[in-house]
Amino acid sequence: VANRTAARVGSLLAAAVACGFVAGGVQDRVRTFAHEADEPYVGFSRPDLTLTSGGDAWIAFLAYDGSAEAVLLAPADSPGAVEVVSAGVGTRFPPRVASLAGDELAIVWCERVEGQYDILLRVKDGADLGPIERVSAHAAPDASPALAATATGLWVVWVSARDGQYEVYARERVSGQSAEPAEWSAPFRVSEHPASDVEPSVAVRADGEAWVAWSSWRDGDYASGNYEIYARALTADAKPQRVSTDPGVDVGPSLVAAGSGLAVAWTGATFGSVAVEDLTATAYDAWRDKRFRVSWLGDDGWSAPLDVRRRYAGAKDVHVGDRCEAVSGPDGQLWVFYDEFVAGGVRGKGLREMRMVRVALGESGRPLDLARGHAGTAGALGVEAGGDRLWTAEGMPEDGETPPGIRVVVWSAEGLARITSPVASRVRRTRSEPADEGERATRSDLARGPDERHTVTRGGRATSAWFGNLHMHSTDSRDGIKDDGPPDRNLLAVLDVAALDFACLTDHSGPALRTLAWRAQVRLADLWNRPGRFVVFPGYEWSSPSYGHKNVIFPDAHAAAATSPLAALRTNPTDLWEHLGDVPAITIPHHTSHGSLAPTDWSFRSDERQRLVEIFQKRGNYEHDGARLQKDAIGGWEFFPGHGVRDALADGHRLGIIASPDHGGGLGLAGVWAEELTRESLYRGLHARQTFGTTGAKMSLWLDVEGRPQGSEVACDGPLTLSAEVRGTVAGLRLVLVQDGAEVQEIAVESDRAEHRFTAECATGGSYFYLRVEQADGHIGWTSPIWTMLR
Ligand SMILES: [Zn+2]
Ligand SMILES: [Zn+2]
């Protein structure tokens, strides 16, 4: 299998284009390894790059050959010589590569082994690629590996979910003498905080001491919580040190040895906010005012962070991106490679451009264009030992004119060395650690405590209210919306910042979600899905300019992989439902009556597929014309008559209710009643329409007719009793019962909890009933309807 895959991928890569051109006197050589065939299902991941002491450059990356991903290793200047590190049936994440002493190479990656995600490693010694070594073997997911060479071997760091939260772990591998096998130290836990510790990066100082930096979610509170960069030495008694200082988001550290010390570069941002009329919420997946920052570890601690890059002065449509990578050259100078986002183009879709900047100690560099005008994803960077030349490698996107591929560029360091005037002073600060770091519970813990979970028992069956986000976009959507973060960070924000129970990334189907990006998202959903803790569904958004927008939610990777978001780009909803065939999936229309966005065409109906509707999102409320909260923060919109949720219910659609944020999350929550926090149980609840939606408050709304919950279709033959059970988040609730579009009964309570029985008649022609709950603070919640029919 490996050989066949090697031959196949090798032939793809051998279709290489080498074009030598000089741009602006800085570009030495450009090599593009592109796939030329016109199969739409081939893609390449973001590559990693390493330089050996002898000056050879190697790249490692993931390539999708049409059936599975392979982990590949290749000399950066010899594309045909690809070696297969891991291939065949399986699920793999992009690898990292490092050169070791003695010109060995080590490749580390995350792969699903025997049903669990683990960290694997292979070492290449000369021509020999050694056996696969299992770095982690724990049943909990292990992911996000990074590695760094030592004088005698290497360190691997990774994220493990084994302690209930994400924690950073590390292991050292000492190479064996002559024919002796290598020795591994026992894995040890690096991070100590009970909240999420993610995105580790490892480096070995000139004196041989290994360090790790990572991003840690602290003080878990929606308003004041934040991600901070922490670092510590990989010695037994070392304590984590806080590197970043600002409130907000500090993520994605890239740690390197620089001079005799260390430097770390990362992405900083602040939380945005979303407002609909008078309701405002922290936009937890909209990280604003991004910048790349750098800090050095010197004799007196970490330096105050220095901005490497913010936006261009006077060019407000240019924004820095999400990832950066640092490498160090001679004399401790630092090179930072990062992406910038330039708005514009078709539908406002933006372009990602790579930039590189050199930062000397205490100085800030002016960014220099790498390859202006070409779109790419963040890649890797290497500096040759002498410091004269730099290598960069990046994944190329699959859409547009450019074929998918890996781009490797060699640069003359000389031409890039344009340092602006030094920063006036370098502020040093000594940081102190909060004393009770380990004691502090996170909001995630509190929100998930068993006492807080609202559970309702009917007919011997107990279901609980779970909260999630079923509509959000990442940078994969390429919408040109600068605030959409990378897929994994969005999921992290739903888990940490919003402290929700379940999520689905719904990036746009079509070119943005081709091949590897879609597979990567399905893989990511699988990796992040942790039964009992955080449930992640795979899905995408089908956006038709003629028939409206629908999200497609799949119960699992198997269902998702059986369809294609590309093939789903059909002309109308019937085509979409036919494409889904007998694959389990739910389609959920949104902004159904937005006057300036495509309203939902309700003449297409599928009671089996279209089980739910999104009644509220960041743009506002689609319940009915004139309902509260119908203006979004950017100036309001017209209700397109006849296309609201009540209009659809009046047309006979059997739609359950949810809400979710869409771009730049914050306002809009999906609620589902289910036995347990698993994909199976939640999907059953969604499919059964045992759902509710809220404007963002974690209020739970239950409604039943004689024990039959919201979403049910009930036969009746006399007066009906509808039982409501509500837990609000503030005192002062108004419960409104809606029957067939009319608000027929209401009660008000001063408490934050309400239990009430409404009575109604069993109408001859059938009726629908739903409950709307209005809180004193302005938040609204809606239950799914219950449909009744005269027996
Ligand atoms: Zn949409
Ligand atoms: Zn959307």
Side-chain angles (χ1 to χ4, degrees):
V1 172
N3 281 344
R4 264 209 317 277
T5 309
R8 180 178 171 80
V9 178
S11 72
L12 299 179
L13 289 172
V17 189
C19 35
F21 62 87
V22 175
V26 286
Q27 215 154 334
D28 193 29
R29 191 162 87 227
V30 177
R31 283 178 187 275
T32 304
F33 310 153
H35 164 56
E36 284 191 326
D38 56 356
E39 295 172 39
Y41 291 100
V42 171
F44 302 94
S45 76
R46 172 188 197 273
D48 196 19
L49 181 145
T50 189
L51 286 164
T52 66
S53 54
D56 295 328
W58 289 82
I59 49 174
F61 53 98
L62 209 61
Y64 177 52
D65 70 357
S67 59
E69 299 97 352
V71 174
L72 301 177
L73 177 71
D77 60 358
S78 183
V82 62
E83 285 180 75
V84 176
V85 178
S86 177
V89 177
T91 300
R92 298 172 185 85
F93 286 76
R96 305 294 302 269
V97 61
S99 49
L100 311 181
D103 276 347
E104 287 184 330
L105 291 170
I107 309 100
V108 68
W109 71 99
C110 169
E111 178 169 336
R112 195 175 159 93
V113 183
E114 293 158 12
Q116 65 194 51
Y117 290 95
D118 278 318
I119 309 301
L120 305 180
L121 177 129
R122 284 186 92 171
V123 171
K124 179 179 161 68
D125 184 4
D128 297 333
L129 199 53
I132 290 180
E133 299 172 45
R134 199 153 164 178
V135 181
S136 74
H138 198 275
D142 295 291
S144 305
L147 78 172
T150 64
T152 55
L154 58 93
W155 277 94
V156 177
V157 295
W158 72 96
V159 173
S160 179
R162 67 188 65 177
D163 299 304
Q165 297 277 355
Y166 293 106
E167 296 296 343
V168 176
Y169 276 74
R171 275 188 98 174
E172 186 180 13
R173 179 188 190 274
V174 178
S175 303
Q177 299 296 321
S178 57
E180 294 293 303
E183 287 204 10
W184 284 95
S185 69
F188 79 90
R189 185 171 152 175
V190 173
S191 55
E192 296 173 351
H193 197 269
S196 294
D197 293 287
V198 296
E199 300 185 320
S201 177
V202 61
V204 178
R205 276 193 342 198
D207 65 3
E209 190 170 77
W211 278 68
V212 59
W214 70 97
S215 178
S216 181
W217 171 250
R218 297 278 154 161
D219 305 334
D221 177 272
Y222 202 86
S224 64
N226 64 98
Y227 291 100
E228 297 291 358
I229 304 299
Y230 275 73
R232 63 165 276 189
L234 285 172
T235 49
D237 52 347
K239 286 278 166 234
Q241 301 173 0
R242 182 168 156 181
V243 179
S244 56
T245 51
D246 288 349
V249 177
D250 293 286
V251 291
S254 175
L255 183 70
V256 288
S260 61
L262 290 163
V264 58
W266 72 93
T267 309
T270 55
F271 289 118
S273 65
V274 168
V276 179
E277 294 183 357
D278 53 340
L279 277 190
T280 303
T282 301
Y284 55 79
D285 63 357
W287 294 353
R288 308 254 159 94
D289 194 22
K290 286 176 195 155
R291 74 207 74 166
F292 294 115
R293 321 202 82 187
V294 182
S295 180
W296 290 269
L297 179 61
D299 295 339
D300 47 356
W302 291 93
S303 70
L306 174 76
D307 276 356
V308 169
R309 188 67 181 127
R310 304 183 77 151
R311 66 181 52 169
Y312 286 113
K316 65 178 168 52
D317 288 342
V318 179
H319 301 270
V320 299
D322 298 297
R323 308 256 185 219
C324 64
E325 172 154 323
V327 290
S328 62
D331 308 328
Q333 68 181 348
L334 200 67
W335 296 90
V336 183
F337 188 47
Y338 61 94
D339 59 322
E340 269 184 358
F341 192 84
V342 185
V346 184
R347 274 190 66 211
K349 284 188 192 301
L351 200 62
R352 258 166 209 283
E353 296 185 350
M354 305 309 301
R355 314 268 174 210
M356 181 157 49
V357 62
R358 196 182 83 167
V359 188
L361 283 170
E363 291 177 319
S364 114
R366 189 167 73 86
L368 293 152
D369 294 358
L370 262 187
R372 190 172 206 119
H374 87 264
T377 53
L381 175 70
V383 185
E384 291 185 2
D388 305 338
R389 302 202 310 169
L390 291 95
W391 293 67
T392 59
E394 60 191 287
M396 290 156 64
E398 305 157 58
D399 59 350
E401 304 284 293
T402 334
I406 305 276
R407 179 183 289 237
V408 176
V409 185
V410 185
W411 305 86
S412 154
E414 181 79 26
L416 289 172
R418 301 179 201 160
I419 302 294
T420 53
S421 48
V423 169
S425 64
R426 180 164 163 243
V427 185
R428 286 175 183 275
R429 228 179 83 175
T430 313
R431 269 166 260 295
S432 59
E433 286 294 304
D436 57 345
E437 204 74 73
E439 310 283 308
R440 218 172 291 168
T442 66
R443 186 172 186 274
S444 320
D445 299 333
L446 297 175
R448 290 193 171 80
D451 294 346
E452 293 216 355
R453 183 70 58 192
H454 186 180
T455 299
V456 172
T457 304
R458 292 287 185 278
R461 178 172 169 260
T463 56
S464 299
W466 308 98
F467 297 95
N469 177 340
L470 292 178
H471 188 179
M472 60 175 158
H473 294 267
S474 78
T475 41
D476 279 358
S477 274
R478 298 190 201 161
D479 268 332
I481 295 178
K482 65 183 191 299
D483 295 327
D484 290 334
D488 51 351
R489 294 226 187 102
N490 276 9
L491 291 176
L492 198 62
V494 173
L495 172 71
D496 284 337
V497 188
L500 301 183
D501 306 305
F502 64 94
C504 181
L505 280 167
T506 51
D507 280 307
H508 295 293
S509 61
L513 261 198
R514 280 170 90 156
T515 59
L516 201 61
W518 170 237
R519 284 182 62 90
Q521 286 211 355
V522 173
R523 219 165 47 208
L524 196 69
D526 240 15
L527 177 68
W528 279 77
N529 181 60
R530 290 158 58 198
R533 183 68 178 83
F534 188 53
V535 165
V536 182
F537 296 107
Y540 57 77
E541 175 174 339
W542 178 90
S543 314
S544 160
S546 312
Y547 304 100
H549 296 195
K550 303 177 195 301
N551 286 315
V552 184
I553 314 287
F554 298 96
D556 53 39
H558 186 72
T563 72
S564 156
L566 262 190
L569 265 186
R570 304 296 176 91
T571 52
N572 66 43
T574 304
D575 293 329
L576 169 66
W577 294 324
E578 279 176 5
H579 167 72
L580 294 171
D582 49 16
V583 169
I586 296 170
T587 66
I588 311 174
H590 60 265
H591 52 59
T592 63
S593 54
H594 201 292
S596 52
L597 296 167
T600 301
D601 186 337
W602 292 116
S603 67
F604 293 85
R605 179 171 167 179
S606 168
D607 287 350
E608 178 47 36
R609 286 287 175 210
Q610 200 141 277
R611 306 289 293 178
L612 302 169
V613 63
E614 187 184 288
I615 199 169
F616 180 90
Q617 58 150 267
K618 64 164 257 184
R619 294 186 181 87
N621 181 356
Y622 299 90
E623 183 181 2
H624 62 87
D625 197 0
R628 269 188 52 221
L629 303 177
Q630 280 185 338
K631 283 195 185 70
D632 68 15
I634 47 169
W637 45 275
E638 297 287 313
F639 188 95
F640 199 83
H643 289 257
V645 171
R646 276 193 194 168
D647 299 312
L649 293 171
D651 283 353
H653 289 267
R654 302 258 153 135
L655 298 164
I657 305 287
I658 62 148
S660 277
D662 204 345
H663 293 281
L667 280 165
L669 278 188
V672 56
W673 294 96
E675 285 98 333
E676 53 184 20
L677 187 56
T678 61
R679 278 177 167 175
E680 298 72 23
S681 187
L682 293 194
Y683 189 82
R684 262 201 310 277
L686 292 170
H687 190 270
R689 301 175 294 227
Q690 288 172 19
T691 59
F692 54 95
T694 87
T695 51
K698 279 188 180 171
M699 54 205 287
S700 47
L701 284 67
W702 172 273
L703 183 70
D704 74 64
V705 171
E706 275 110 41
R708 304 282 308 280
Q710 59 226 64
S712 301
E713 301 176 31
V714 180
C716 55
D717 47 16
L720 295 161
T721 304
L722 294 118
S723 304
E725 203 176 293
V726 176
R727 286 199 193 170
T729 56
V730 297
L733 306 174
R734 185 166 162 258
L735 280 60
V736 180
L737 185 71
V738 178
Q739 178 179 7
D740 301 327
E743 299 178 6
V744 291
Q745 296 176 52
E746 66 170 78
I747 63 141
V749 298
E750 284 177 10
S751 157
D752 61 351
R753 294 186 178 197
E755 286 187 27
H756 188 75
R757 287 171 181 237
F758 297 95
T759 51
E761 291 305 312
C762 180
T764 323
S767 284
Y768 72 81
F769 298 87
Y770 68 84
L771 187 68
R772 188 178 68 233
V773 177
E774 299 166 9
Q775 292 199 151
D777 63 357
H779 277 289
I780 308 176
W782 301 261
T783 70
S784 288
I786 293 175
W787 291 267
T788 60
M789 192 59 127
L790 187 65
R791 202 185 301 271

